[in-house]
Amino acid sequence: VVEPHEHIFSMWFFVMLGVVGLYIIERLFFWAEEGSDQRRHLTLGWASLVGLAIHAFTAGMGLSAAGTVQGLAGPVFISIIGHKLAESFSLTTIFLLAEFRTLSILLLLLLFSLITPAGIFIGHWVVELLPAAGVPILTALAAGTFLYVALCDLLPEVFHHREDALAKIALLAGGIVVSLFLSSGGH
């Protein structure tokens, strides 16, 4: 018999696996050398694209898995759709800072937009092969990859320049409060 606190621990293990896994991938392939802001933005652009692509794929697989649990698919779908605009905006901003060409940005965003549906498609078959414990594992991996990209790639870039730091902190705190409100069902 698995105690509830053991289940929570194991899910946090998979969240951390998503964080550490993405950290290792970025450090192996996208380690930013000291240099110009443009070079740092170029490295950050590619690293963010890879990180968000892995997150988008695992989120798609997580949505497939969530479809097997009564009442879970709707909230997972809403959370995925809810942050796609922010992800795309962040990628576009970083690509512009790295001085990517407009056509390249559009093509990369088009490719990025297809990754979650690919995760859903592949996830459909993966879910059939997994035991029931696989559903929360896929969801936890998706959460971990998102946490890594948000905390290690995007937030440092937001606070790269100190101007308007208080406004940025207030907006970040406001986003957290809105997320907490929405996750509590508005109560």
Side-chain angles (χ1 to χ4, degrees), residues 23-24 29 51 60 74-76 87 103 110 114 117 127 141 148 153-154 158 165 173 175 184:
Y23 172 82
I24 291 169
F29 299 103
V76 171
E87 288 174 346
L103 182 59
L110 176 63
L114 298 174
V127 167
L141 286 171
Y148 178 82
D153 288 340
L154 302 178
V158 168
S184 70

Side-chain angles (χ1 to χ4, degrees), residues 6 9 15 20 22 35 53 55 60 63 75 84-85 96 102 123-124 130 134 143 152 162:
E6 291 174 9
F9 172 76
V15 169
V20 172
L22 201 46
H55 165 66
L63 181 57
K84 283 298 170 197
L85 179 63
L96 288 171
T102 303
H124 176 73
L130 290 177
C152 298
R162 302 241 184 245

Side-chain angles (χ1 to χ4, degrees), residues 28-164:
L28 286 175
F29 299 103
F30 299 104
W31 187 255
E33 298 175 13
E34 293 298 320
S36 68
D37 273 350
Q38 196 273 339
R39 172 73 179 145
R40 191 175 54 75
H41 289 131
L42 180 64
T43 301
L44 179 63
W46 287 113
S48 295
L49 177 62
V50 168
L52 285 171
I54 291 170
H55 165 66
F57 186 78
T58 58
M61 291 183 70
L63 181 57
S64 285
T68 65
V69 177
Q70 181 74 23
L72 187 59
V76 171
F77 177 76
I78 290 170
S79 70
I80 289 172
I81 295 299
H83 70 269
K84 283 298 170 197
L85 179 63
E87 288 174 346
S88 299
F89 179 78
S90 297
L91 278 176
T92 301
T93 302
I94 293 168
F95 290 157
L96 288 171
L97 289 170
E99 300 176 7
F100 280 39
R101 294 183 182 166
T102 303
L103 182 59
S104 296
I105 293 171
L106 291 173
L107 290 174
L108 289 170
L109 288 174
L110 176 63
L111 176 66
F112 177 70
S113 72
L114 298 174
I115 293 173
T116 299
I120 294 169
F121 182 73
I122 292 171
H124 176 73
W125 283 280
V126 170
V127 167
E128 291 179 8
L129 301 174
L130 290 177
V135 173
I137 289 171
L138 289 176
T139 306
L141 286 171
T145 57
F146 178 73
L147 283 173
Y148 178 82
V149 171
L151 295 174
C152 298
D153 288 340
L154 302 178
L155 275 179
E157 187 59 33
V158 168
F159 290 100
H160 178 69
H161 297 288
R162 302 241 184 245
E163 62 268 1
D164 300 330

